[in-house]
Amino acid sequence: MAALTKSNLPLRRFLSPLSQRLLNPSSFSSAPEPHLQDENDTSQTAPTEETLIADTFHSLIKDHHRNNPNPNPNPAPPNPTYTIPSLSSDFSQLSAAGSVSPAVVRRVLEKCGAVRHGIPVLQAVAFFNWATSREGFEHNPEPYNEMVDLAGKVRQFDLAWHVIDLMKARNVEITVETFSILVRRYVRAGLAAEAVHAFNRMEEYGVSPDRIAFSVVIGILCKKRRASEAQAFFDSLKHKFEADVILYTSLVNGWCRAGNIAEAERVFNEMKAAGIEPNVYSYSIVIDALCRCGQITRAHDVFAEMIDAGCNPNSITFNNLMRVHVKAGRTEKVLQVYNQMKRLGCNADVITYNFLIECHCKDENVEEAAKVLNLMVKKGCSPNALTFNPIFRCIAKLKDVNGAHRMYTKMKDLDCKANTVTYNVLMQMFAESKSTDMVLKLKKEMDENEVEPNVNTYKVLISMYCAMGHWNNAYKFFREMIEEKCLKPSMPVYEMVLKQLRNAGQLKKHEELVEKMVDRGFVTRPLAV
C-alpha cells in the first residue's frame, strides 16, 4: 500500500487533456470526428502504481453502481456533500496505509466519466467528497477540474458550480482551464447563454478573462455549431480583446459548421479587410465547407487564391478537397487530388492514406488498399484503426477468412490498436464462418485491451450463441451487457434471449431477466410469454 503516498512527479504530468486541446491550433483542422475523440484518453496520466490503486477504487465504484442501478434517466442532482457510508468504509480500508494523491482521485473520476452509458454519478460524488475531505489531502486543481467535467457531462451544473465554490473556499487555484471545461460542457448541453454567463463570472473567482479565455469560449461555441451566439459574443467584446487570425478562423469555422457559407465568407473577408492574413487553417476550413455543400468549383477557386497569396496548403487542405470525392466513391478524382498534392511537395498524413484505402475498399480492390498501407508504413506514417477497418470490411464482404487472419496479424505487428469497430467487424465475420473460438479470443483480447464493447459487440455474441442453442452463454452475455456495461439492448436481441430461455424451460431466469430490464428502465412492462 506504499503506492498510496503522494506523488512527487510534476503536476503537469497529471494535467487534464481537456484545456490543452482547446488551445491547440490543430483544433481548426477539419479532420474527421474520430480525431477529436481524445476526451477520455488516459495514457500517460499516472505512474503504474498509482494507476493500479486508481483502478481498484474504480472497481469498488463500478461494483456498487452495478448492484444499485438508477433507472431514472434524469436523476435529481445529488447532494453536493453526498457520501455512501459502505463505500467510504471500503475506500478507507484500501487507503489505510497512506494518503491518496490528487493524481489518483483525478484518474478515478476520469474513468468514471469515460463510459458512454451508466456513469456512476452518485458513487463518483461520494468518492470525491471522501477523498478531498481526508486529513492531509494535497489540494490542487486537477481532481476538482475533473469533477467539474464529470458533473457537466451528466448535466448537473449546480454540482459543477458547487465544486468551483468549494475550490474557492479551500483556496484551491481556479484557472482558465476550470472555466474552459465548464463552458465546454454548457455548450455541449446546448446551453450557450449559460456558457457566456460562466465566462462573465470568471472575475468573481479571481480568474482574469484574458484573450486566451475569450478565444476558448468562441472556439468551443463554434466547434459545437453555435455560430450566431459566438458571433454575438465576439461582437460584444471585440473592443476589449484584440482580434487575431485564431479568433477569426474560429468564427469562420463556426459559420461553416452551422452550414451558413455566406456568413463564413463575410467573416473571412472582414478578417482580410482588417489587415489580418488568413492562415492555412482559415483557407482549409472555407475549402472544406464549400466542398461539403457541393460547391467544388468555388472551393478550387479559394484554393487557387490561397496559392496566389503565398499560403502553402498542407495535408488538411488536400484532405478537405478529397473528402467529398471519397464519400461519393469517385476514386479517380481522389487520385487526382493526391497527385496534385505530391506535385506541390506536400506530405500525406494518416487521413490522406486512410482516404485512399477507403476508396480502394469501396471498389473492393483489397490489393490496391494493401499497397497504400505498405506505402504509408514505408513513409513513416503510422496507421490507426481507421486505416484497417475499411480493409476488414472489404475482406469480410469477400468472405476471405484467411485474408482477415493475415491482415489482423499485420495490424498487430505494426503495433496498431484495434477499436470497437475493428473487433465488431472481425467477430461478425468469424461468427458467420462458425469460428466460435476466434470470436471468443477477440472478445477476451478486447477486454484485456480495455476496448469498450457496444451493443453491436453483444449482438454478435448473443446471436452466435442463440443460433447454436446455447441459452446459458447467450444469457451470460446479455446480463453482462445490461449489468456491467449498462447498455440498452435492442428489442430483437432481448426477445431472442427470452425465446431461448422459454425453449430451454428456464422460466425463473426468464422472469429474472424481465425484472432486470424493468428495473433499469429499458422496458416499461414485461413482454408477453
Side-chain angles (χ1 to χ4, degrees):
M1 300 302 290
L4 287 169
T5 55
K6 298 173 188 174
S7 169
N8 292 319
L9 292 174
L11 290 179
R12 242 187 109 72
R13 182 183 181 105
F14 304 116
L15 280 177
S16 166
L18 295 170
S19 65
Q20 295 174 20
R21 288 198 320 281
L22 293 173
L23 298 177
N24 189 337
S26 66
S27 64
F28 296 123
S29 163
S30 296
E33 282 299 313
H35 294 270
L36 302 176
Q37 292 177 351
D38 281 340
E39 174 180 336
N40 299 316
D41 180 15
T42 58
S43 62
Q44 299 182 351
T45 52
T48 302
E49 288 184 304
E50 289 197 326
T51 298
L52 292 173
I53 294 297
D55 290 349
T56 306
F57 277 124
H58 183 242
S59 293
L60 291 173
I61 288 171
K62 279 202 309 182
D63 289 343
H64 188 277
H65 180 256
R66 183 166 58 246
N67 295 326
N68 300 273
N70 186 349
N72 186 352
N74 296 299
N79 185 321
T81 58
Y82 181 78
T83 59
I84 301 174
S86 60
L87 260 183
S88 294
S89 176
D90 291 340
F91 294 151
S92 296
Q93 287 182 34
L94 181 60
S95 63
S99 61
V100 180
S101 74
V104 167
V105 178
R106 189 196 65 77
R107 182 175 174 84
V108 172
L109 296 175
E110 185 179 50
K111 288 177 75 68
C112 287
V115 293
R116 292 188 178 183
H117 307 278
I119 294 175
V121 183
L122 294 177
Q123 290 81 359
V125 172
F127 171 75
F128 174 79
N129 287 333
W130 169 83
T132 58
S133 62
R134 282 169 60 82
E135 185 177 349
F137 181 75
E138 182 186 334
H139 297 277
N140 73 45
E142 306 316 319
Y144 290 87
N145 287 350
E146 202 66 49
M147 191 66 235
V148 170
D149 186 55
L150 180 62
K153 185 172 184 178
V154 295
R155 304 192 179 190
Q156 301 287 1
F157 291 105
D158 286 345
L159 175 61
W161 279 109
H162 166 77
V163 174
I164 295 174
D165 287 335
L166 198 60
M167 294 174 77
K168 185 177 182 180
R170 291 176 174 175
N171 292 319
V172 179
E173 183 185 11
I174 302 172
T175 65
V176 169
E177 179 181 15
T178 309
F179 279 91
S180 297
I181 292 167
L182 181 61
V183 166
R184 177 174 168 274
R185 286 302 179 187
Y186 268 131
V187 175
R188 292 197 75 169
L191 303 170
E194 287 80 353
V196 172
H197 180 64
F199 174 87
N200 291 332
R201 290 191 64 188
M202 287 173 67
E203 287 186 298
E204 292 178 32
Y205 293 86
V207 183
S208 175
D210 57 14
R211 185 159 60 93
I212 292 176
F214 184 53
S215 298
V216 165
V217 175
I218 289 176
I220 294 168
L221 287 167
C222 290
K223 194 176 288 186
K224 299 305 172 184
R225 297 180 172 86
R226 305 305 294 258
S228 57
E229 290 92 337
Q231 186 70 59
F233 182 57
F234 173 78
D235 291 340
S236 69
L237 289 173
K238 64 182 179 182
H239 65 281
K240 186 174 180 181
F241 303 105
E242 182 183 355
D244 58 12
V245 67
I246 293 177
L247 276 168
Y248 273 112
T249 300
S250 285
L251 287 170
V252 170
N253 187 38
W255 286 116
C256 286
R257 291 178 70 85
N260 193 329
I261 307 303
E263 273 298 299
E265 291 204 80
R266 180 192 66 77
V267 174
F268 188 71
N269 291 329
E270 179 184 310
M271 171 171 59
K272 291 188 288 185
I276 298 172
E277 288 294 322
N279 62 20
V280 64
Y281 299 107
S282 315
Y283 281 111
S284 297
I285 285 166
V286 173
I287 288 168
D288 181 54
L290 291 168
C291 285
R292 287 178 187 271
C293 69
Q295 297 185 39
I296 311 298
T297 302
R298 175 73 181 117
H300 281 279
D301 289 343
V302 173
F303 179 77
E305 177 189 323
M306 177 184 188
I307 300 294
D308 291 342
C311 182
N312 294 325
N314 61 13
S315 59
I316 294 169
T317 317
F318 286 103
N319 292 340
N320 291 347
L321 288 168
M322 279 186 190
R323 184 176 290 105
V324 66
H325 299 307
V326 174
K327 289 186 176 180
R330 295 190 286 263
T331 305
E332 186 177 340
K333 291 285 188 183
V334 172
L335 292 175
Q336 285 177 6
V337 175
Y338 176 59
N339 288 331
Q340 184 181 22
M341 184 179 190
K342 290 194 292 184
R343 284 197 303 271
L344 289 175
C346 179
N347 293 325
D349 63 11
V350 64
I351 298 173
T352 314
Y353 289 119
N354 287 356
F355 279 163
L356 294 171
I357 287 171
E358 186 177 341
C359 283
H360 291 311
C361 288
K362 282 183 177 180
D363 296 338
E364 296 186 13
N365 194 338
V366 180
E367 187 176 336
E368 284 300 315
K371 285 181 181 178
V372 175
L373 174 61
N374 292 333
L375 174 64
M376 71 185 292
V377 172
K378 183 180 178 181
K379 294 285 188 180
C381 184
S382 299
N384 57 26
L386 300 178
T387 310
F388 282 92
N389 289 347
I391 300 176
F392 285 129
R393 286 195 189 96
C394 189
I395 290 173
K397 190 174 181 181
L398 298 172
K399 300 185 186 300
D400 183 3
V401 175
N402 291 332
H405 277 289
R406 288 193 299 272
M407 191 56 66
Y408 189 57
T409 299
K410 185 178 184 70
M411 185 180 191
K412 293 210 279 192
D413 288 344
L414 291 170
D415 197 26
C416 178
K417 306 300 182 186
N419 65 10
T420 305
V421 173
T422 315
Y423 285 113
N424 288 353
V425 171
L426 290 171
M427 288 166 68
Q428 179 67 46
M429 182 183 184
F430 288 119
E432 290 174 358
S433 65
K434 312 298 182 186
S435 302
T436 307
D437 289 346
M438 193 62 192
V439 174
L440 296 179
K441 181 182 176 182
L442 288 168
K443 176 60 168 64
K444 182 182 178 184
E445 184 180 303
M446 193 177 190
D447 293 339
E448 289 173 348
N449 293 336
E450 296 186 345
V451 177
E452 276 295 312
N454 61 18
V455 289
N456 292 325
T457 314
Y458 286 103
K459 180 182 177 182
V460 172
L461 292 162
I462 292 166
S463 298
M464 178 182 74
Y465 278 120
C466 285
M468 296 165 65
H470 293 182
W471 65 266
N472 52 337
N473 287 319
Y475 176 70
K476 180 188 78 171
F477 279 115
F478 191 91
R479 285 193 57 177
E480 179 182 308
M481 172 171 58
I482 65 172
E483 292 180 4
E484 292 185 27
K485 304 301 180 182
C486 301
L487 295 170
K488 181 179 180 180
S490 67
M491 290 308 292
V493 170
Y494 177 42
E495 291 167 348
M496 187 192 311
V497 176
L498 290 184
K499 183 179 179 182
Q500 286 287 318
L501 293 174
R502 290 197 298 270
N503 291 344
Q506 297 291 327
L507 299 184
K508 184 177 179 181
K509 283 186 167 54
H510 182 288
E511 183 181 345
E512 288 174 354
L513 195 59
V514 171
E515 288 303 316
K516 288 180 185 298
M517 289 288 285
V518 172
D519 287 346
R520 283 160 175 75
F522 292 156
V523 293
T524 54
R525 59 182 176 80
L527 293 173
V529 178

